[in-house]
Amino acid sequence: DKSWMHSPEALTKHFIPYTVKFLGNSEVEQPKGTEIVKDAVRKLKFARHIKKSEGQKTPKVELQISIYGVKILDSKTKEMLHNCQLHRISFCADDKTDKKIFTFICKDAESNKHMCYVFDSEKCAEEITLTIGQAFDLAYKKFLETGGKDVETRKQIASLQKRIQELETENIELKKKVQEMEINVRVTQGPSSPRGMTPRSPSTDLFDMVPFSPASPLLPTPSSNGTELPPLPVRSSETRRDIFGAEPFDPFISGGGDFPPDIQSKLDEMQEGFKMGLTLEGTVFSLDPLDGRC
């Protein structure tokens, strides 16, 4: 216990963070072994050297070490890149020839392949290795105290967290598809017709006819065979006059003061005669019985 650098509470209730450079991970044939790790380190160093010559920098990550595992997060966005559960880590060591390098081997949960993770830390390689060792020691003690129940619970939590990540990824993909569909609908409808709006037709009566409005202009409407009917003549608001400029004579709408008294009396008699069945034959006025006309 004297070699441990952190309090048990820091690893059981929280985590210890470290910022390091991530060289990458590589599949290995065995879950442990010094030579296995050295071979993986050589491969990843060579691959990183090629990428560095191409102008790519070694990415920085944040390690969060606790009794539940080692999480690898992007140092800027804090996005989790890998979640290596402690019960899947089978080997951990720092390179004695290169004090900056440390590694651990973890079994992948999906493919069941053993992956070797390699990191570069200028000052903390040995300290990180000891921190992972302390996390193992505390996890084993807790396993003995709980009889293995805590490990099973953590497995279930890890499985649920993985499912949540999968659902979040599916949700992002579905949102992209919905946005693409909305763009396609807008292009199909065109700019003149807003999305979700349909042109409204004028209101009609019970005979499916548009109600007549004297204020509305008279427009030509197509007939049943497709041809347009001739436009209706526009009625003038002024009273029509004859060629002499006089208004047409209408004895039934003329006022009493328009004619002399004798002529007006004759007109009144004619009007009374028409009401009683008077007919006009040539220039003679005659009053026939109404029954003879039926």
Side-chain angles (χ1 to χ4, degrees), residues 36-278:
I36 296 295
V37 168
K38 286 183 178 180
D39 186 55
V41 170
R42 283 193 295 266
K43 289 180 180 179
L44 292 174
K45 276 186 175 181
F46 180 74
R48 181 53 55 184
H49 180 71
I50 295 176
K51 291 182 179 180
K52 189 175 182 180
S53 63
E54 296 175 351
Q56 298 183 17
K57 295 182 179 180
T58 304
K60 289 185 178 181
V61 297
E62 179 181 314
L63 298 181
Q64 295 182 354
I65 303 173
S66 67
I67 63 172
Y68 305 113
V70 179
K71 293 182 179 180
I72 306 173
L73 287 77
D74 186 276
S75 60
K76 294 182 179 180
T77 63
K78 302 302 178 181
E79 179 185 359
M80 188 168 63
L81 306 176
H82 302 279
N83 184 15
C84 302
Q85 299 173 14
L86 200 67
H87 67 276
R88 293 183 176 275
I89 297 176
S90 57
F91 187 80
C92 180
D94 56 286
D95 193 348
K96 301 304 179 183
T97 59
D98 190 347
K99 299 295 182 179
K100 299 185 299 181
I101 302 297
F102 72 95
T103 65
F104 63 83
I105 298 176
C106 180
K107 189 176 183 180
D108 187 73
E110 295 182 0
S111 62
N112 287 328
K113 295 179 179 179
H114 296 284
M115 305 297 296
C116 181
Y117 294 81
V118 180
F119 303 91
D120 184 351
S121 177
E122 295 181 358
K123 299 178 180 181
C124 302
E126 184 177 1
E127 179 182 339
I128 294 173
T129 304
L130 291 175
T131 302
I132 296 176
Q134 184 181 1
F136 268 103
D137 182 69
L138 294 172
Y140 181 68
K141 290 179 179 179
K142 192 171 184 179
F143 173 79
L144 295 177
E145 292 174 359
T146 60
K149 293 181 180 180
D150 185 69
V151 175
E152 294 298 327
T153 303
R154 289 297 166 181
K155 286 182 179 180
Q156 293 177 3
I157 293 175
S159 178
L160 291 175
Q161 290 177 346
K162 179 183 175 182
R163 182 55 182 165
I164 290 173
Q165 292 178 357
E166 292 176 353
L167 292 175
E168 288 178 351
T169 304
E170 292 178 1
N171 189 24
I172 293 174
E173 294 177 355
L174 289 175
K175 285 183 178 179
K176 291 181 179 179
K177 291 182 180 179
V178 169
Q179 292 176 356
E180 293 175 356
M181 292 176 65
E182 288 180 350
I183 294 173
N184 294 332
V185 169
R186 291 176 185 174
V187 172
T188 303
Q189 289 182 349
S192 59
S193 57
R195 178 167 56 93
M197 299 293 293
T198 56
R200 297 181 60 185
S201 60
S203 59
T204 57
D205 57 11
L206 71 167
F207 299 104
D208 201 21
M209 300 283 292
V210 179
F212 171 73
S213 176
S216 60
L218 297 175
L219 301 177
T221 55
S223 62
S224 58
N225 58 2
T227 60
E228 291 186 357
L229 298 176
L232 297 175
V234 179
R235 299 182 64 182
S236 175
S237 60
E238 299 181 357
T239 306
R240 292 183 295 174
R241 301 176 181 271
D242 58 11
I243 56 176
F244 300 103
E247 295 181 1
F249 172 71
D250 190 350
F252 298 103
I253 63 173
S254 299
D258 295 339
F259 303 98
D262 55 345
I263 296 177
Q264 184 63 43
S265 63
K266 296 292 184 182
L267 291 175
D268 294 339
E269 292 178 3
M270 290 174 61
Q271 195 168 8
E272 291 294 332
F274 285 130
K275 292 180 179 179
M276 298 175 62
L278 180 66

Side-chain angles (χ1 to χ4, degrees), residues 11-22:
L11 289 168
T12 55
K13 298 181 179 180
H14 305 283
F15 58 85
I16 306 298
Y18 291 99
T19 301
V20 295
K21 293 181 180 180
F22 186 33

